[in-house]
Amino acid sequence: MNNSDDIVSILEDFWPRNKAKGLLAQTILSEEIEKRNFGEDAEEKLMPGCWLISPKRADFFKFRFAFFVHPYVLKSGSLTTDLRVLLEEKYRPFHAISEFLNNAGIGVIYVIVHTTNGVLPFKEIKNRIFENINWTFYRFNNGEFSEINPVEFFEKWDGTRGRPSYGGNWDPDVKEKIRRLDSKILRRLLLNELFYLGLLKGVLRKPLNDPYDVDAFMISLSQKHIFPMEIKEKFPGNNGNEKFFGIDAGRIMMLLRLALPNDANAIYLVREMDESGDFKGWKYITLSDIVMTSSWNLQAGGPGMGGQSTQTVRLSYDQFKQFDRTTLTEDTLRKMGELPKEIRDMANRFRAELTSKFYGE
């Protein structure tokens, strides 16, 4: 069995069926970005997302942390303490995203996975043994990254009764699609999950409040405009003559939490499918458009990350735009980069249409 088969087998054990389906859109986007389907510089404008995690306490909302997991396993004893060297050309945009999150009152920690030989112990992981995987944390503070001790850091988090929950029983077509993913993407998915399920839940047993994640960040080359992104695979619903997408209300609140302190916008990206499972195209809506065009009557949704039932917001299908090369141009990112301005402009357009239609002015 090769490493890719090992990883798929482990992920199937780790992920519930719906999570596996949900992550497909992210991974397929990553592959299309690498293939230059969205332009030659698209890879420079799309950065991996992060876990958003809080300790389980009454005032958890004050103590949200963003954990970014390095996409490669390193060899213990040969770690560099300089993230500039480790991240190379990704350091500048990652630093800008760290400043963005810091401005929003979110703690930023970069996580590196390492083992004695630089290889993951797949057999142990399959048996849910995580103690031989090592972790190094770098905290972002005052514009710099400095190493902190993970165990000492999490000792300040209340509780030791957290328990991992596992998945399995994927749909065969989903499993086959994940199996075909590039080994680099599979490894990144596994390392992300090892941090959450292996370290936080399996080893440290930390209970968490309101766990979420950011799927990706889009950033302009100028680094003046940063967009937290939510990425999902969906097919539109119908309600009479209305065609719509349903979006988890909690995701909208999360995007607002990051964007508002920065006067920034965010992007909800949909890999549109039809009901038979055929790909139709990539579509997106900005957070400003969500705020201005969503229905205020929530509908029941599926289970969230914590297993609880969710509520969804209904958004008109017509408000979604094509996501293509033109979306990623510097000019487009500049125009939609400021949420307050976008909302004010849309409010002015709505006022003009309302006046014209109902008052004939």
Side-chain angles (χ1 to χ4, degrees):
M1 182 179 285
N2 60 37
N3 284 356
S4 292
D5 289 335
D6 284 327
I7 292 173
V8 172
S9 176
I10 292 168
L11 290 177
E12 184 173 17
D13 180 45
F14 283 3
W15 289 347
R17 178 183 302 181
N18 285 341
K19 182 169 183 176
K21 291 173 65 176
L23 284 168
L24 265 179
Q26 297 178 42
T27 55
I28 291 172
L29 177 67
S30 296
E31 287 193 325
E32 294 195 17
I33 291 285
E34 289 187 6
K35 292 175 182 176
R36 307 289 195 270
N37 290 359
F38 295 100
E40 294 301 313
D41 60 359
E43 198 168 2
E44 300 176 54
K45 296 178 178 179
L46 191 76
M47 295 288 290
C50 60
W51 293 100
L52 285 177
I53 298 172
S54 305
K56 195 169 185 64
R57 48 187 294 160
D59 56 353
F60 68 94
F61 47 85
K62 298 178 183 177
F63 305 107
R64 296 190 187 274
F65 288 85
F67 291 91
F68 293 83
V69 182
H70 192 62
Y72 299 99
V73 185
L74 301 185
K75 186 175 181 179
S76 301
S78 62
L79 298 179
T80 176
T81 58
D82 189 348
L83 286 189
R84 292 177 180 83
V85 175
L86 188 65
L87 297 180
E88 298 178 328
E89 74 280 357
K90 295 289 187 181
Y91 178 78
R92 285 187 66 249
F94 175 65
H95 189 280
I97 290 168
S98 298
E99 289 279 14
F100 178 92
L101 292 168
N102 187 66
N103 290 341
I106 307 293
V108 178
I109 294 177
Y110 196 79
V111 178
I112 295 175
V113 185
H114 53 103
T115 63
T116 54
N117 60 0
V119 177
L120 285 176
F122 289 114
K123 186 174 181 180
E124 291 183 9
I125 295 170
K126 285 181 181 179
N127 290 316
R128 302 177 184 176
I129 299 171
F130 309 109
E131 280 73 14
N132 291 321
I133 300 172
N134 304 310
W135 306 86
T136 295
F137 285 9
Y138 291 95
R139 170 202 178 196
F140 182 74
N141 185 45
N142 293 325
E144 300 293 336
F145 291 93
S146 57
E147 186 175 346
I148 61 172
N149 185 298
V151 175
E152 292 178 0
F153 172 75
F154 278 112
E155 281 177 352
K156 299 174 183 177
W157 287 45
D158 300 328
T160 56
R161 295 184 179 180
R163 293 291 183 272
S165 59
Y166 294 93
N169 299 317
W170 289 357
D171 295 337
D173 62 322
V174 171
K175 185 172 183 178
E176 183 56 33
K177 288 177 182 177
I178 291 178
R179 191 187 299 278
R180 292 199 300 263
L181 292 172
D182 184 89
S183 60
K184 181 170 64 174
I185 293 175
L186 287 172
R187 182 179 59 243
R188 188 181 73 223
L189 293 171
L190 176 58
L191 292 175
N192 267 328
E193 201 61 33
L194 283 175
F195 166 74
Y196 184 82
L197 199 87
L199 177 63
L200 292 189
K201 293 294 189 177
V203 176
L204 300 175
R205 304 283 184 176
K206 288 297 174 182
L208 306 173
N209 211 332
D210 212 22
Y212 254 80
D213 60 353
V214 181
D215 292 338
F217 290 89
M218 187 171 294
I219 181 169
S220 64
L221 294 177
S222 68
Q223 297 181 5
K224 292 181 179 179
H225 303 292
I226 296 173
F227 304 82
M229 294 184 70
E230 179 72 9
I231 307 168
K232 286 289 179 282
E233 182 175 287
K234 294 178 177 289
F235 63 85
N238 284 282
N239 183 14
N241 294 325
E242 181 189 7
K243 194 175 180 181
F244 65 92
F245 283 118
I247 295 180
D248 177 9
R251 295 286 166 180
I252 299 172
M253 296 303 295
M254 179 270 290
L255 293 174
L256 284 168
R257 173 66 180 82
L258 302 183
L260 285 177
N262 288 287
D263 286 343
N265 218 334
I267 292 174
Y268 196 104
L269 180 63
V270 173
R271 185 171 187 265
E272 184 186 357
M273 313 294 287
D274 62 21
E275 292 193 47
S276 62
D278 293 327
F279 174 62
K280 303 294 290 183
W282 291 96
K283 287 188 167 61
Y284 79 97
I285 188 170
T286 61
L287 181 58
S288 52
D289 284 349
I290 291 174
V291 170
M292 294 300 291
T293 66
S294 66
S295 168
W296 293 342
N297 293 309
L298 301 184
Q299 297 181 330
M305 277 186 63
Q308 76 282 3
S309 60
T310 63
Q311 295 290 313
T312 62
V313 173
R314 196 171 69 247
L315 290 159
S316 171
Y317 179 86
D318 293 337
Q319 295 302 315
F320 285 75
K321 306 177 180 72
Q322 290 296 128
F323 186 85
D324 52 30
R325 287 171 177 251
T326 62
T327 313
L328 295 176
T329 64
E330 289 293 289
D331 187 52
T332 301
L333 296 180
R334 177 184 58 79
K335 287 178 179 177
M336 66 182 185
E338 298 179 16
L339 180 140
K341 182 179 183 301
E342 282 284 294
I343 287 180
R344 286 195 299 270
D345 290 347
M346 186 170 290
N348 288 334
R349 292 197 300 271
F350 287 0
R351 184 177 64 246
E353 289 189 35
L354 181 152
T355 301
S356 174
K357 183 173 181 62
F358 290 97
Y359 304 112
E361 297 176 6

